[in-house]
């Protein structure tokens, strides 16, 4: 359990670095946390995010840019609203254009 808590904290700290107007994928966050095959664990960590205001889990999408079908903090519509309020265009199919909005993983 301790390693899971450490990994979850690493996920939260990494997600906090995603700037407004950008998104990251679950796999990207997993890779940045040193566990490139742990994208599902990233999803689980974000689903249990203890500080959703401080940790912008709404900025994490799937590998195709798709919104979370069961966004933990209000559903897909809330995720869409939060992203759009930050200037991210969400398409009618509930996806984000990764070629435009994908975070490069570099802190600024």
């Amino acid at each position: 359990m301790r390693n899971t808590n450490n990994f979850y904290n690493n996920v939260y700290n990494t997600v906090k670095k995603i700037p407004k107007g950008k998104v990251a994928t679950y796999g990207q966050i997993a890779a940045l946390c040193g566990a490139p095959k742990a994208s599902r664990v990233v999803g689980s960590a974000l689903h249990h995010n203890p500080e959703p205001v401080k940790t912008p889990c709404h900025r994490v999408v799937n590998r195709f840019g798709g919104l979370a079908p069961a966004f933990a903090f209000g559903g897909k519509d809330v995720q869409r609203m939060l992203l759009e309020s930050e200037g991210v265009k969400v398409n009618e199919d509930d996806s984000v254009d990764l070629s435009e909005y994908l975070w490069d993983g570099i802190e600024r």
Side-chain angles (χ1 to χ4, degrees):
M1 184 69 165
R2 183 176 175 175
N3 286 339
T4 300
N5 287 337
N6 289 338
F7 186 76
Y8 277 25
N9 287 331
N10 198 5
V11 167
Y12 302 142
N13 289 330
T14 302
V15 170
K16 287 176 185 175
K17 297 174 185 176
I18 306 168
K20 287 182 180 177
K22 293 293 181 180
V23 298
T25 66
Y26 296 100
Q28 180 183 9
I29 298 301
L32 289 169
C33 291
K37 295 184 183 224
S39 57
R40 289 181 185 227
V41 181
V42 169
S44 179
L46 295 179
H47 188 77
H48 294 96
N49 178 1
E51 299 179 305
V53 174
K54 286 185 173 183
T55 307
C57 55
H58 65 278
R59 295 182 189 148
V60 183
V61 297
N62 72 25
R63 64 185 172 165
F64 303 111
L67 303 186
F71 179 62
F73 303 98
K76 195 183 308 186
D77 292 337
V78 172
Q79 185 178 15
R80 171 190 284 275
M81 181 209 52
L82 291 168
L83 288 171
E84 288 178 340
S85 75
E86 296 179 346
V88 175
K89 181 182 182 296
V90 179
N91 301 316
E92 287 185 28
D93 67 351
D94 293 323
S95 70
V96 171
D97 182 351
L98 294 178
S99 69
E100 184 172 350
Y101 296 106
L102 186 65
W103 175 48
D104 61 13
I106 300 171
E107 286 185 71
R108 293 190 162 63

